[in-house]
Structures are given as C-alpha cells and as structure tokens.
Amino acid sequence: QVQLVESGGGLEQPGGSLSLSCAASGSTFMITTRGWYRQVPGKQRELVATITRAGTTNYADSVKGRFTISRSNVRNTVYLQMNSLKPEDTAVYYCNARLTTNLERWGQGTQVTVSS
C-alpha cells in the first residue's frame, strides 16, 4: 500500500532548470530504491536516476552532470533537480519505488517540455 504522488514539471527554455518531487505514503518502510524514469511517445521508458537506502546514486549517461536526485527522509520525498535542460529532455517523467518484495510502484507522471 505504497502510493506515489508527483508534482512539478512544466515548460522551460533550453539551458534552464526545473525541479520535480515525488512524495510516498503508506507502507514507506518497504521501499528500498527510489528513482525517476522518462518516456516519449513511441519509445521505451528509460531510467533517468536512482537512489538507494544507503544513498548510492546512479544516473543515465545522458543526464550525468546536469540532473541531481536527492531525498528527504522526514517527508518520504524524492526530488529531481534538472539543470542545463535540452530539448531531448522533453518527456513524461515518472517517479518509481522498488519495494523489499521487488514489486514496484509508480507515480502518475508529469510532463516536462524543453523548447525555445
């Protein structure tokens, strides 16, 4: 009974910044890894970044050095800070949580559009 609710996203110019957040509720003690994925029409959903219980982070090569994933233990919230945005970052971004059972939960998705 883990639920994920995303917020943030929107329209930004190339080179600009946006921040996403995803709050978890319910049985949050079951969460092992949290992450962000993105998807464009006609393409597979791809991993953007993950963060483990221990704080280990992993990034897709395409966003390394530009995006930062972080978390708040008090608020059970994971964040994605996106800097130096490029048009190819345009996608629907989904929050993800992997549980101790290896099951997954997903947020509802939020649109990020990068355009001049």
Side-chain angles (χ1 to χ4, degrees), residues 77-99:
T77 300
V78 64
Y79 306 91
L80 186 68
Q81 177 65 46
M82 303 181 291
N83 298 325
S84 302
L85 284 164
K86 303 176 180 180
E88 50 263 45
D89 295 320
T90 297
V92 176
Y93 283 70
Y94 294 92
C95 176
N96 165 272
R98 189 174 298 276
L99 310 182

Side-chain angles (χ1 to χ4, degrees), residues 4-105:
L4 305 177
V5 179
E6 301 179 29
S7 62
L11 174 65
E12 186 55 82
Q13 297 185 35
S17 298
L18 284 172
S19 296
L20 308 180
S21 65
C22 179
S25 61
S27 302
T28 58
F29 61 89
M30 296 181 64
I31 297 174
T32 60
T33 301
R34 304 196 67 177
W36 292 94
Y37 293 69
R38 66 188 183 187
Q39 188 170 29
V40 299
K43 302 295 183 181
Q44 295 274 3
R45 187 173 297 184
E46 67 174 357
L47 184 148
V48 176
T50 61
I51 185 166
T52 68
R53 278 179 171 174
T56 302
T57 57
N58 183 56
Y59 297 92
D61 288 340
S62 59
V63 307
K64 193 171 298 182
R66 300 188 298 119
F67 292 9
T68 302
I69 188 170
S70 61
R71 66 185 181 188
S72 169
N73 293 326
V74 173
R75 296 188 176 188
N76 292 312
T77 300
V78 64
Y79 306 91
L80 186 68
Q81 177 65 46
M82 303 181 291
N83 298 325
S84 302
L85 284 164
K86 303 176 180 180
E88 50 263 45
D89 295 320
T90 297
V92 176
Y93 283 70
Y94 294 92
C95 176
N96 165 272
R98 189 174 298 276
L99 310 182
T100 54
T101 59
N102 285 327
L103 297 176
E104 293 182 333
R105 295 290 184 270

